[in-house]
Amino acid sequence: MEMADCKTRRLVVDSGRPDASLIRAAGVALREGGLVAFPTETVYGLGANALDARAVAGIYRAKGRPADNPLIVHIDSPRVLNRYIDQIPPVVWRLAARFWPGPLSLVLRGGGIFPPEVTGGLDTVAVRVPAHPVALALIRAAGVPVAAPSANASGRPSPTTAAHVLDDLAGRIALVLDGGPSGLGVESTVLDLSGDGPVILRPGGAIRQDLEEVLGPVEVDPAVNGNAVAGSRPRSPGMKYTHYAPRAPLVLFEGHDPGRVAAGILADAGRLAADGRKVGIFAYSETAPLYDGKGYSVVVAGNRHEPDSVAALLYASLRRFDRLGVDVILAEGIAPDGLGMAVMNRLRRAAGGRVVTV
Ligand code: TXA
Ligand code: MG
């Protein structure tokens, strides 16, 4: 992970009217091989020129990312897709019309133009058109497709603000464009179109029900819910790594009855506190008052019945526990419906198998 220290510049950009000269300069830096972190509607990305193997290799160094975990290529319009992909199944155009720009990444064959640093050596490539004015302006200014993973250090919660990017990557990248908080808060849905039928490899901002309106039935890869078949190779290499994790171990409590979930958490919290451990609790507005006045560090991550509110606060909430310096985090789950599927996928991954069903 050694890399010559550099000073990271943070430049504030007005998302409504991105400053043209600033974007132009950042675009040139990208095209010429630099790394630029930028806001998208999902999370902040760490961009490099996707046609420049050396530049892309820099992403892996900056993040400490395993080399076999491929990157998503960002383009500014579906119209340029056929410049980079030789085999475009017709369904792509129907999905693009409905979901792009937006939080849907499509895994396609025929992207041989991209170096193996982008594809992780696979014979497919993931592509999306982000729905953030700064991201779109930057890609346009770069004039090249932009490979961009989430701009966190590998394994850490994804960044939804420029401050999160700096927490992880200051001194390792040249520039972060600060366009304020990402609105959605979870990454794009990764949808594999390279096989017989469409398969969700990572649930995200584009929800299954909406995809099914265009595609009919959509499968979800078994690895998504932590059911990776032993010994099998996940179709999305990213799924095999512990991920999205705050510094303290996180235990996830799942169950239909919020009262029972809270009771389970309170029982464990009491035991842990009696052992002298500083307990963090990841809760929602409905249940948060139940934990009051007991000395726990409670973080309220939205409203359990509005998964969008939880998604928007998810990563900032996980990162908050680092600042609070807790020894352990007890987290409430939500129903895995709509955007809740993405939220629960991230919480289960952050728990790394420490899941209690109540
Ligand atoms: O919302 C997002 O998608 C954000 C923003 C910055 O656009 N990007 C993002 O990238 O989340 P990253 O690198 O953190 O996650 C990419 C995911 C990984 O799970 C990776 O394994 C999967 O996409 N992926 C990329 N290319 C793939 C491919 N060819 N086949 C299967 N999975 C692929
Ligand atoms: Mg990521």
PDB file of all heavy atoms in Angstrom, residues 63 65 149-150 152 158 187 202 243-244, ligand 2:
ATOM      1  N   LYS A  63      -6.625   2.583  -2.695  1.00  0.00           N
ATOM      2  CA  LYS A  63      -7.660   1.982  -1.845  1.00  0.00           C
ATOM      3  C   LYS A  63      -7.174   0.774  -1.061  1.00  0.00           C
ATOM      4  O   LYS A  63      -7.835   0.334  -0.121  1.00  0.00           O
ATOM      5  CB  LYS A  63      -8.850   1.506  -2.709  1.00  0.00           C
ATOM      6  CG  LYS A  63      -9.724   2.596  -3.264  1.00  0.00           C
ATOM      7  CD  LYS A  63     -10.924   1.988  -3.991  1.00  0.00           C
ATOM      8  CE  LYS A  63     -11.726   0.989  -3.205  1.00  0.00           C
ATOM      9  NZ  LYS A  63     -13.086   1.372  -2.851  1.00  0.00           N
ATOM     10  N   ARG A  65      -7.071  -2.129  -2.585  1.00  0.00           N
ATOM     11  CA  ARG A  65      -8.122  -3.023  -3.061  1.00  0.00           C
ATOM     12  C   ARG A  65      -7.532  -4.279  -3.680  1.00  0.00           C
ATOM     13  O   ARG A  65      -6.561  -4.203  -4.433  1.00  0.00           O
ATOM     14  CB  ARG A  65      -8.951  -2.263  -4.104  1.00  0.00           C
ATOM     15  CG  ARG A  65     -10.109  -3.025  -4.740  1.00  0.00           C
ATOM     16  CD  ARG A  65     -10.827  -2.086  -5.702  1.00  0.00           C
ATOM     17  NE  ARG A  65     -11.893  -2.657  -6.469  1.00  0.00           N
ATOM     18  CZ  ARG A  65     -13.204  -2.410  -6.251  1.00  0.00           C
ATOM     19  NH1 ARG A  65     -13.566  -1.647  -5.243  1.00  0.00           N
ATOM     20  NH2 ARG A  65     -14.120  -2.919  -7.033  1.00  0.00           N
ATOM     21  N   PRO A 149     -14.480   2.943  -8.475  1.00  0.00           N
ATOM     22  CA  PRO A 149     -15.068   2.261  -7.328  1.00  0.00           C
ATOM     23  C   PRO A 149     -15.488   3.304  -6.299  1.00  0.00           C
ATOM     24  O   PRO A 149     -15.221   4.500  -6.482  1.00  0.00           O
ATOM     25  CB  PRO A 149     -13.896   1.438  -6.791  1.00  0.00           C
ATOM     26  CG  PRO A 149     -12.704   2.297  -7.078  1.00  0.00           C
ATOM     27  CD  PRO A 149     -13.011   3.033  -8.373  1.00  0.00           C
ATOM     28  N   SER A 150     -16.162   2.884  -5.263  1.00  0.00           N
ATOM     29  CA  SER A 150     -16.439   3.791  -4.155  1.00  0.00           C
ATOM     30  C   SER A 150     -15.109   4.301  -3.595  1.00  0.00           C
ATOM     31  O   SER A 150     -14.129   3.557  -3.536  1.00  0.00           O
ATOM     32  CB  SER A 150     -17.254   3.078  -3.086  1.00  0.00           C
ATOM     33  OG  SER A 150     -16.673   1.826  -2.768  1.00  0.00           O
ATOM     34  N   ASN A 152     -13.603   4.816  -0.844  1.00  0.00           N
ATOM     35  CA  ASN A 152     -13.206   4.475   0.528  1.00  0.00           C
ATOM     36  C   ASN A 152     -11.951   3.616   0.476  1.00  0.00           C
ATOM     37  O   ASN A 152     -11.642   3.033  -0.564  1.00  0.00           O
ATOM     38  CB  ASN A 152     -14.326   3.672   1.202  1.00  0.00           C
ATOM     39  CG  ASN A 152     -14.792   2.503   0.336  1.00  0.00           C
ATOM     40  OD1 ASN A 152     -15.483   2.709  -0.665  1.00  0.00           O
ATOM     41  ND2 ASN A 152     -14.378   1.292   0.700  1.00  0.00           N
ATOM     42  N   SER A 158     -18.595   2.826   2.590  1.00  0.00           N
ATOM     43  CA  SER A 158     -18.461   3.720   1.440  1.00  0.00           C
ATOM     44  C   SER A 158     -18.648   5.168   1.875  1.00  0.00           C
ATOM     45  O   SER A 158     -19.321   5.451   2.861  1.00  0.00           O
ATOM     46  CB  SER A 158     -19.497   3.352   0.382  1.00  0.00           C
ATOM     47  OG  SER A 158     -19.274   2.036  -0.057  1.00  0.00           O
ATOM     48  N   GLU A 187     -24.797   2.088  -2.975  1.00  0.00           N
ATOM     49  CA  GLU A 187     -24.266   2.003  -4.321  1.00  0.00           C
ATOM     50  C   GLU A 187     -25.312   1.532  -5.324  1.00  0.00           C
ATOM     51  O   GLU A 187     -26.403   1.099  -4.963  1.00  0.00           O
ATOM     52  CB  GLU A 187     -23.077   1.025  -4.353  1.00  0.00           C
ATOM     53  CG  GLU A 187     -21.902   1.411  -3.481  1.00  0.00           C
ATOM     54  CD  GLU A 187     -22.044   0.935  -2.057  1.00  0.00           C
ATOM     55  OE1 GLU A 187     -23.169   0.584  -1.634  1.00  0.00           O
ATOM     56  OE2 GLU A 187     -21.028   0.904  -1.347  1.00  0.00           O
ATOM     57  N   ARG A 202     -25.410  -7.460  -6.922  1.00  0.00           N
ATOM     58  CA  ARG A 202     -25.352  -6.603  -5.726  1.00  0.00           C
ATOM     59  C   ARG A 202     -26.614  -5.755  -5.735  1.00  0.00           C
ATOM     60  O   ARG A 202     -26.839  -4.998  -6.680  1.00  0.00           O
ATOM     61  CB  ARG A 202     -24.129  -5.693  -5.767  1.00  0.00           C
ATOM     62  CG  ARG A 202     -24.061  -4.735  -4.564  1.00  0.00           C
ATOM     63  CD  ARG A 202     -22.859  -3.815  -4.608  1.00  0.00           C
ATOM     64  NE  ARG A 202     -22.986  -2.780  -5.626  1.00  0.00           N
ATOM     65  CZ  ARG A 202     -22.078  -1.841  -5.865  1.00  0.00           C
ATOM     66  NH1 ARG A 202     -20.954  -1.825  -5.157  1.00  0.00           N
ATOM     67  NH2 ARG A 202     -22.268  -0.930  -6.798  1.00  0.00           N
ATOM     68  N   HIS A 243     -16.736  -6.185   4.203  1.00  0.00           N
ATOM     69  CA  HIS A 243     -16.949  -4.936   3.508  1.00  0.00           C
ATOM     70  C   HIS A 243     -17.763  -3.979   4.359  1.00  0.00           C
ATOM     71  O   HIS A 243     -18.462  -4.403   5.256  1.00  0.00           O
ATOM     72  CB  HIS A 243     -17.742  -5.253   2.251  1.00  0.00           C
ATOM     73  CG  HIS A 243     -17.138  -4.662   1.026  1.00  0.00           C
ATOM     74  ND1 HIS A 243     -16.876  -3.338   0.921  1.00  0.00           N
ATOM     75  CD2 HIS A 243     -16.756  -5.217  -0.146  1.00  0.00           C
ATOM     76  CE1 HIS A 243     -16.354  -3.102  -0.276  1.00  0.00           C
ATOM     77  NE2 HIS A 243     -16.269  -4.222  -0.935  1.00  0.00           N
ATOM     78  N   TYR A 244     -17.705  -2.718   4.015  1.00  0.00           N
ATOM     79  CA  TYR A 244     -18.585  -1.719   4.614  1.00  0.00           C
ATOM     80  C   TYR A 244     -18.439  -1.657   6.126  1.00  0.00           C
ATOM     81  O   TYR A 244     -19.357  -1.257   6.824  1.00  0.00           O
ATOM     82  CB  TYR A 244     -20.059  -2.010   4.253  1.00  0.00           C
ATOM     83  CG  TYR A 244     -20.291  -2.383   2.816  1.00  0.00           C
ATOM     84  CD1 TYR A 244     -20.692  -3.661   2.454  1.00  0.00           C
ATOM     85  CD2 TYR A 244     -20.090  -1.434   1.817  1.00  0.00           C
ATOM     86  CE1 TYR A 244     -20.905  -3.992   1.117  1.00  0.00           C
ATOM     87  CE2 TYR A 244     -20.291  -1.762   0.483  1.00  0.00           C
ATOM     88  CZ  TYR A 244     -20.701  -3.036   0.145  1.00  0.00           C
ATOM     89  OH  TYR A 244     -20.908  -3.361  -1.164  1.00  0.00           O
TER      90      TYR A 244
HETATM   91 MG    MG B   2     -17.133  -0.286  -2.839  1.00  0.00          MG
END
